Amino acid sequence: MEVSGIRLPYRLAKRVFFLEDTTLRIEYRLTNPTPFPMDYLWAAHVMIPAEEGAHIQVSDEYGTAVTVFSKSGRIGGYGTEFGWRAMRERGERIDRVRREDTCDFEKYYFKEKARGVGWCSIRYPSDRSELRLSYPAEFVPYLGILVNEGGWNHLYHIIFEPCSATMDRLETAALHGTLSVAAPGSERVWYLDLTIT
């Protein structure tokens, strides 16, 4: 699949294939054919079903998160920084999905960049299955997570957002120092692997 920009003459191509029986790879290729640098923000939006007690895990580098929104205020308001692992250690199990009737939803990004290969996963207690996302930190260094426990449209899901820049908007990413830039005449290639065990 391929799309060309209208206002900016970039090209973005996507190829989907199986690396092995349990791993689906989505490969992306961004081309900037212009003689000018191009700011961009790419984010996956992998929406998966939630389950009470499901365990969310992330790369070791991720630790400090920044709130985008929180219906209950559990993780503060927009821009609040909190220690993701610290909350877990003091008993606030932010890494576990609560019941659907919790009626909460929250989204946050991690401030830290992944190194090497970034990853996040969810493990379901009902059958011990796990869905793991992996991505190259060179081009996809950041991670956002949205947890909806019945608080928005009565839906019950998790959204993993491995991304090239944070906070959902180019100008906000620039303010946070996380903006991605495609150099003049450059091509960037990255992938998102989804593995089920």
Side-chain angles (χ1 to χ4, degrees), residues 12-13 20 31 60 114 141 143 151 155 168 173 180 184:
L12 181 65
E20 50 191 59
T31 305
D60 290 340
L143 174 65
L155 297 172
D168 297 336
S180 291

Side-chain angles (χ1 to χ4, degrees), residues 6-148:
I6 296 171
R7 292 192 176 139
L8 297 172
Y10 68 87
R11 285 191 307 278
L12 181 65
K14 179 166 74 171
R15 190 167 69 108
V16 182
F17 56 96
F18 280 97
L19 276 181
E20 50 191 59
D21 289 349
T22 59
T23 301
L24 180 72
R25 172 164 284 189
I26 308 172
E27 184 181 83
Y28 298 87
R29 183 179 306 271
L30 173 66
T31 305
N32 175 12
T34 74
F36 308 102
M38 183 184 76
D39 298 344
Y40 74 96
L41 186 161
W42 173 88
H45 192 75
V46 182
M47 182 186 294
I48 52 180
E51 178 181 298
E52 184 181 353
H55 187 195
I56 298 169
Q57 295 179 293
V58 299
S59 297
D60 290 340
E61 296 87 359
Y62 299 133
T64 303
V66 180
T67 302
V68 176
F69 54 77
S70 175
K71 182 178 179 182
S72 69
R74 173 173 83 141
I75 58 173
Y78 182 84
T80 300
E81 293 186 11
F82 65 95
W84 193 80
R85 296 181 195 283
M87 281 185 77
R88 187 184 65 187
E89 288 163 6
R90 67 173 184 259
E92 186 68 61
R93 296 310 304 262
I94 197 161
D95 62 334
R96 303 285 177 170
V97 178
R98 297 171 294 177
R99 294 164 39 130
E100 185 173 2
D101 61 7
T102 303
C103 287
D104 199 6
F105 70 104
E106 50 199 24
K107 181 177 181 179
Y108 49 89
Y109 284 98
F110 289 99
K111 286 183 68 174
E112 297 85 5
K113 292 182 176 183
R115 294 190 299 270
V117 176
W119 64 270
C120 56
S121 72
I122 185 165
R123 181 171 296 154
Y124 294 98
S126 60
D127 63 1
R128 297 187 197 165
S129 64
E130 180 179 27
L131 173 64
R132 184 181 182 106
L133 280 64
S134 306
Y135 40 91
E138 178 183 3
F139 297 118
V140 187
Y142 299 106
L143 174 65
I145 298 178
L146 185 150
V147 180
N148 184 9

Side-chain angles (χ1 to χ4, degrees), residues 171-196:
E171 62 273 19
T172 311
L175 288 172
H176 283 262
T178 67
L179 195 60
S180 291
V181 180
S186 69
E187 185 173 82
R188 290 186 160 211
V189 179
W190 66 92
Y191 63 84
L192 179 63
D193 285 348
L194 293 87
T195 302
I196 295 175

